[in-house]
Amino acid sequence: MDSFDEDFHPGQCNCIQCSCSDCDSTPLLSATQRSKGSDSKSKQNASAHSIHQQCPCCARRDYLPVVQEGPFIQTGPDVVLRVTGMTCGGCLSVVEKTLRDVAGLAAFRVELKTQTATIFGVVDGSKAVKALLEAGFEAEVIETRLATADADDDIKTVFVLDSPTPSLSPGRDSIEMDDVRPEDVRNASFRVDGMTCASCVAVIENYVSSLDGIKSVSVSLLASKAEVAFDPARIQPQAIKEAIEDVGYTAEPLADAQPGDLTLTIEGMTCESCVSTIESGLRHVSGVRSVSVSLLANSAVIKFDPALVAPRGIIASIEDFGFRASLKHTDRGGIEAYERKKEIDHWRVKLFQSLVFSVPLFFLGMVFMWIPAIEMPLDTPVYKGLSANIIVQLALATPVQFWIGLFLYRSAFAAVKRRTGNMETLIALGTTAAYGYSLIGMLVAVFDDEFKVEAFFETSSLLVTFVLLGRYFENVAKGKTSGAITALMKLQPDTAILVETTPDGKVEREIALGLVELGDLLKVLPGAKIPTDGTIVNGRSSVDESMLTGESIPVSKKEGDTVIGGTINQHGMLIIRASRVGADTALAQIIKLVEQAQTSKAPIQRLADKISGYFVVVVLAIAVVVFIVWLAIGLSGYFPPDYLTEAPFLFALMRAISILVIACPCALGLATPTAVMVGTGLGAKNGILIKGGEALEAARGINGIVFDKTGTLTHGKPVVTDVVLVDETGAVAHSRSIVDPGATDEPVVDAERDFWHVVGAAESGSEHPLGRAMVDYCKAHDWQLSTPSDVEALPGLGLTATVADRKVLVGNRKLMQEMSVSVGTEVDQKMAVLEDDGKTAMLVAIDGRLAGVVAVADTPRPEAASVVRLLTEMGVDVWMVTGDNRRTAAAIARQLGIGNVFAEVAPGDKAEFVKRVRAENSPHGKRSVAMVGDGVNDSPALAEADVGIAIGAGTDIAIETAGIVLMKSDLRDVVVAVDLSRKTYNRIRANLVWAFAYNVLGIPLAAGVFYPINQFTLPPVAAGLAMAGSSLSVCTSSLLLNLYRKPTV
């Protein structure tokens, strides 16, 4: 048997079919292939994908290149160790690192679940056992076996050899990815457990971003989530997961369910034959790609093509086989709430355990000393120089230090291993110093009966207790800040009532919401939640949409209207046709947007993250300097013996411990994400979707807003605004301005009603928008219109029609002139006034005589003028851009109080206009511009602005070019979006100021800077309490945003 070449040369890759640019074509086999041999090229190709994922060039994992192929290869003996003490990914990483450092180990595999480590190719595992024992784990050899295999063996073990650690380059945040096309970049989400402060975030981001193929990394401390953009040709999600675990944290991929993924619960299976029946049967169903059935879990995972088969069809097939199947219910909101509750309960139990020991310690060390009747018996020596008080304190403090506080050491050890630090590093050092000093004092007293022991066991225990107290309240507060997503998830019902047509008539049955398909007819009972987005095909009701749009008044719905899933049907029964299901519904998109927003980072957070990266090292340096300075002062002899309140060494040690304890990077790490989470959640409750910290920060700084006119400042469709009746002499007989075209309680004289019956009937045969506006006005008043005849549209003029044997003309002056209809001076002047107001005036003639004038216009929204006024008061300059003519644009601008108007701008030129506005100087400073439009025609302009605001999105909220999406067509939400962004940003700034001020003031106080002035010192216990309060205060400050009230417009 030929030997293996184990050398790996940088820049070369031995993957089979690897697509990396630096790879050559030398094949490389995994342990599976090496043990089985590779006697055929087909075996290599069949495993190419899995091998490529573990390539040293792609995923930083070295495999042994096979030089010679053969049907039989002996791999040598294997040793299996039981490794006790592994509890998390950090422990797993430590064990792997320990085994890598043991000389002579070729390859190994560590499994957290089974608490085992398998070492391949060795006979003696004693070196590995010794190394693991030294690393703090219990290890023993439980099995030694000879691992030989031939080509027919089914060996599934794939193990990793030397795993080079990616080096961190100073100042380097990410790999250059300019050669990767945007469409080739993939995104992956991971749940990350074990993070406690901003330093943890910085470590993960710096480490993962150093990997080849990583485009960007964003880690959220609050959401315990990492979002990674990567090039799949260079790195795979599994390698990213391993990289996160390499630095001491646990990571699990968060895979979104794909449209073709289905998980079912199956009842009635009793044996493997049942499993085989279902699997083989489903494989013959058209569209089913793969089936995996578990007898123990009573479940099936099925991948299918939605274009060929639907979930209900798959379930029906399983039931035809004689089993019962149902959609496996996964309540994301409930799961997240449970995970949060579990974490809170964990810290609550830890806190209670610590209090059981720390409260007695507090009385023994800090209270009883002031009560002579109790102090004297407790201080009586019972063994050499040791008193009962000291011995009891040691017994109480030890469990707190090394059992309850074990998490501090684990986290600190993981940080040291990766050559960095975190909050746990500081606390572990501080508590160990206090505990160690006390223990050393006890040992000295054993040999010197005259030595007076000064113990600080209560200090170390109370510090651990205060850390747990802060961690508990911090998690409670973090749970409240993320309540918006949980509330949104609970809006969706679990089931829907499906209405099916059968030969026996219509049949109703309740199905799981996940089984609803496009086009399904669904019944919605009064008071029930609407299951999915759809269109009403039967019924009339009012729908409460406040939970999604923030609109407090129920919205009337009738046949043809759209409804949103998750909203509540008020009083009427509805039949709807599903138009969007699953991840395409408005509610699902809202949840996705809010999740993305709450895991994104505001630019202002970069400063805090940068500081956190150096924070621990700086604090350690300060503590060492302070210790040396105070020790030198105490031993110098330049000050009176009683200048220091304690012995020099003890005084210096207490000051150093206070510095280590009071310094807290957590407040810096929580300052921004907690405020962003609450602010974006508040926006979502009001129908305002802010897409993350960057959009929020951009919105708070805008000092200019460009409004599109049509559909934004105006209703977007023409309505009747004025009617003028003309008598037989050609003079104006009646004139009325219509305030609300949809109102039916306006007084209408008989002559006007007769006029409208004729005009409405004539226009009912027209498809022109102006004609439809007149017909809609008539329909709003429930006027019955007769059917016209001889309808003829005259382009550029108007139309002619016959209504009840009367010849009707509706059009402009030119039509009247061609038809020889006289228009008097008074009527002409009236038309000029209407046209100066931006309205389109149309003349009406009946039987050759002028009968009246109808004015139609795209009217401003009723709230538009007050919104413009309020924005101006807020220091925001307002522009209006439109493709309409200058006279119409000027008229609308006058009504709204807008001084900056740009008319006759083509849709494609609006982006260029926004660019010009951004380049102008502003009296309020650097010009920062928002563009408000409909998100469809205005997409280029929205993208060009500093922040795009899409208004009236309704169910179409996935507008890529908009940083803020307003679900309602209410301009007041623009003001709310700007105001909420400013309030949230101010809260972020206040949080950061407090976090910085806390450390800037707290560290000097702990260092004893003011001691020469007033002999004031901050004891370590007080420093620990302050540290616990710092994070809690930041979270509480962010939660105060929930008191936000929308500005009155």
Side-chain angles (χ1 to χ4, degrees), residues 580-812:
R580 294 183 180 184
V581 296
D584 294 329
T585 63
L587 180 57
Q589 293 181 52
I590 290 171
I591 292 172
K592 183 178 180 180
L593 284 177
V594 174
E595 283 180 332
Q596 291 174 346
Q598 295 188 347
T599 56
S600 68
K601 292 187 177 183
I604 194 175
Q605 191 175 348
R606 293 171 189 156
L607 176 62
D609 289 346
K610 191 172 182 179
I611 291 175
S612 297
Y614 300 98
F615 186 85
V616 174
V617 175
V618 172
V619 169
L620 285 172
I622 293 174
V624 171
V625 170
V626 167
F627 175 81
I628 294 173
V629 168
W630 280 117
L631 184 62
I633 290 175
L635 299 177
S636 64
Y638 291 109
F639 297 92
D642 59 348
Y643 178 71
L644 300 180
T645 56
E646 297 162 310
F649 180 85
L650 182 59
F651 186 90
L653 181 64
M654 290 298 103
R655 302 292 73 75
I657 293 175
S658 294
I659 291 172
L660 293 174
V661 171
I662 200 170
C664 183
C666 287
L668 287 173
L670 293 171
T672 300
T674 52
V676 169
M677 192 166 277
V678 176
T680 53
L682 276 173
K685 289 180 181 178
N686 290 280
I688 301 169
L689 305 179
I690 303 173
K691 296 184 179 180
E694 190 168 347
L696 186 146
E697 187 166 338
R700 70 91 198 176
I702 62 173
N703 47 36
I705 292 184
V706 178
F707 285 97
D708 179 55
K709 181 186 80 68
T710 305
T712 303
L713 290 172
T714 64
H715 288 95
K717 66 176 184 177
V719 294
V720 176
T721 61
D722 298 84
V723 59
V724 178
L725 301 185
V726 180
D727 61 19
E728 296 179 354
T729 65
V732 175
H734 172 73
S735 178
R736 183 169 69 92
S737 294
I738 300 170
V739 179
D740 184 0
T744 59
D745 55 353
E746 293 181 321
V748 180
V749 299
D750 292 340
E752 182 182 337
R753 186 179 295 106
D754 295 339
F755 172 81
W756 278 115
H757 274 99
V758 175
V759 174
E763 290 290 352
S764 65
S766 171
E767 293 299 326
H768 195 281
L770 301 181
R772 300 311 303 169
M774 289 183 273
V775 174
D776 290 342
Y777 179 75
C778 295
K779 287 183 176 180
H781 289 77
D782 292 328
W783 292 333
Q784 297 299 320
L785 304 177
S786 59
T787 303
S789 61
D790 302 326
V791 178
E792 183 181 3
L794 304 173
L797 299 174
L799 67 73
T800 65
T802 299
V803 178
D805 297 329
R806 304 175 72 179
K807 188 69 173 178
V808 182
L809 305 175
V810 182
N812 54 24

Side-chain angles (χ1 to χ4, degrees), residues 920-981:
E920 295 177 0
N921 293 325
S922 167
H924 307 292
K926 181 183 178 182
R927 180 74 74 193
S928 181
V929 177
M931 172 69 192
V932 183
D934 60 13
V936 181
N937 298 324
D938 304 318
S939 292
L942 292 176
E944 180 62 40
D946 292 286
V947 59
I949 302 177
I951 188 170
T955 58
D956 186 21
I957 61 172
I959 300 172
E960 296 294 335
T961 54
I964 298 177
V965 178
L966 311 180
M967 293 191 65
K968 303 193 300 292
S969 294
D970 192 334
L971 283 172
R972 288 172 291 193
D973 285 347
V974 175
V975 177
V976 176
V978 174
D979 186 63
L980 178 61
S981 297

Side-chain angles (χ1 to χ4, degrees), residues 816-856:
M816 297 299 140
Q817 184 180 357
E818 290 186 2
M819 296 298 179
S820 301
V821 177
S822 176
V823 179
T825 304
E826 184 181 3
V827 174
D828 192 64
Q829 292 175 346
K830 186 70 175 176
M831 288 181 67
V833 172
L834 294 172
E835 289 170 343
D836 285 340
D837 288 338
K839 302 171 182 178
T840 301
M842 292 170 289
L843 296 161
V844 179
I846 302 176
D847 290 336
R849 183 184 65 82
L850 187 65
V853 180
V854 175
V856 175

Side-chain angles (χ1 to χ4, degrees), residues 703-707 713 868 872 876-882 889-890 893-894 897-903 913 917 920 927:
N703 47 36
I705 292 184
V706 178
F707 285 97
L713 290 172
V868 171
T872 304
V876 179
D877 300 325
V878 178
W879 284 264
M880 185 181 78
V881 59
T882 178
R894 282 197 303 271
I898 298 176
N900 304 307
V901 182
F902 286 82
F913 169 73
V917 173
E920 295 177 0
R927 180 74 74 193

Side-chain angles (χ1 to χ4, degrees), residues 14-15 105 119-120 197 250 281 289 330 579 599 689 830 887:
N14 295 327
C15 281
L105 296 191
I119 305 172
F120 303 96
C197 64
T250 57
R289 298 291 180 243
T330 55
S579 59
T599 56
L689 305 179
K830 186 70 175 176
R887 186 169 66 176

